[in-house]
Amino acid sequence: AQSVTQLDSQVPVFEEAPVELRCNYSSSVSVYLFWYVQYPNQGLQLLLKYLSGSTLVKGINGFEAEFNKSQTSFHLRKPSVHISDTAEYFCAVSGNTGNQFYFGTGTSLTVIP
Amino acid sequence: DSGVTQTPKHLITATGQRVTLRCSPRSGDLSVYWYQQSLDQGLQFLIQYYNGEERAKGNILERFSAQQFPDLHSELNLSSLELGDSALYFCASSVASGGDYEQYFGPGTRLTVT
C-alpha cells in the first residue's frame, strides 16, 4: 500500500517570496505522483504530475516539483508566489499496480501581501 | 470548469436518513472516482468505477454504496446517516483506469447531517 505525508499543515509566506511545500511518500511499488490545488469552495485541480522520466516536473502557474526516489519525496516549489496562490495544496500518490489514489492531508498556503 | 458535474451542491438531512449523490463525468471519460473530504480525515478515496464495473475500493463504509450506469454517470448512496458523515463528497473522472491518468474533480456536494 501507499501513503503520503505532507509535513506542513500551514505555510504562510510573503508575496514574491519563494515557497516549498513538502511531500513524502511510502510505497513498495513504483509510483506516480501528483500535486493538486484546491481554491476555496472549489474542487481539486491538477498542478503537475510525475509518471516517469525527468525528475524535475513543471506544472501550471509557475509551480515545479522534483521527484527524489532515494528520499521518497516530491516537494513542490515556486520561486515567487502571488496572492492568487493562496489555496490548499494536496500531494497524491498512486501505484502502477492499482487504481487507488492516496492523498496527503493538505498544506494550506497563505500568501501575505 | 473541469467538465465534471455533481448534484446537488448542498444537502442537509437528519441522522438515520438515506441520500443519493449524483455525478456526471467529463465527456469521454470512462472512470469515476468518489472521495470524502472532512476536516479530521482529509481527502479519503472511497471507490472507483470503470465503464460500469467496480475497479477499486478504498475506505468506504458498508452503509455506503455506489454504481455507474450505462450512460457513465455515477451515484453514491449513503444510508443510515450519522453526524460523522457530514463532509464534502467529490467525484472525479478520468479517461481510463490506471494510476497514471489525471483525475478531473467536480465541485463537490456538501452533506450536512443534523
Side-chain angles (χ1 to χ4, degrees), chain B residues 18-21 34 47 49 57 60-67 74-79:
Chain B
R18 173 190 169 93
V19 297
T20 298
L21 312 183
W34 285 98
I47 197 165
Y49 278 82
K57 220 167 187 176
I60 188 166
L61 299 172
E62 283 191 16
R63 299 184 286 110
F64 296 1
S65 64
Q67 53 184 329
S74 178
E75 292 180 356
L76 179 67
N77 300 295
L78 316 175
S79 62

Side-chain angles (χ1 to χ4, degrees), chain B:
Chain B
D1 185 357
S2 66
V4 178
T5 61
Q6 290 187 248
T7 57
K9 206 167 182 178
H10 301 278
L11 199 49
I12 302 174
T13 188
T15 53
Q17 294 298 306
R18 173 190 169 93
V19 297
T20 298
L21 312 183
R22 182 189 169 102
C23 167
S24 293
R26 286 189 328 153
S27 177
D29 283 0
L30 299 178
S31 251
V32 169
Y33 302 79
W34 285 98
Y35 293 88
Q36 179 193 58
Q37 185 180 36
S38 59
L39 283 174
D40 56 343
Q41 301 237 7
L43 195 63
Q44 299 276 317
F45 167 70
L46 295 178
I47 197 165
Q48 180 211 0
Y49 278 82
Y50 175 72
N51 205 20
E53 293 189 2
E54 183 184 306
R55 189 57 68 98
K57 220 167 187 176
N59 300 321
I60 188 166
L61 299 172
E62 283 191 16
R63 299 184 286 110
F64 296 1
S65 64
Q67 53 184 329
Q68 186 179 27
F69 294 87
D71 67 352
L72 300 177
H73 91 270
S74 178
E75 292 180 356
L76 179 67
N77 300 295
L78 316 175
S79 62
S80 304
L81 285 167
E82 302 174 359
L83 295 177
D85 298 327
S86 295
L88 199 49
Y89 290 83
F90 285 107
C91 165
S93 73
S94 64
V95 64
S97 181
D100 52 339
Y101 290 96
E102 176 182 351
Q103 295 184 28
Y104 294 85
F105 281 76
T109 293
R110 184 170 294 281
L111 173 67
T112 303
V113 183
T114 62

Side-chain angles (χ1 to χ4, degrees), chain A residues 84-109:
Chain A
S84 60
D85 292 324
T86 294
E88 191 85 15
Y89 291 80
F90 292 91
C91 181
V93 62
S94 67
N96 61 4
T97 59
N99 299 301
Q100 291 205 24
F101 278 72
Y102 297 89
F103 282 82
T105 50
T107 296
S108 177
L109 174 64

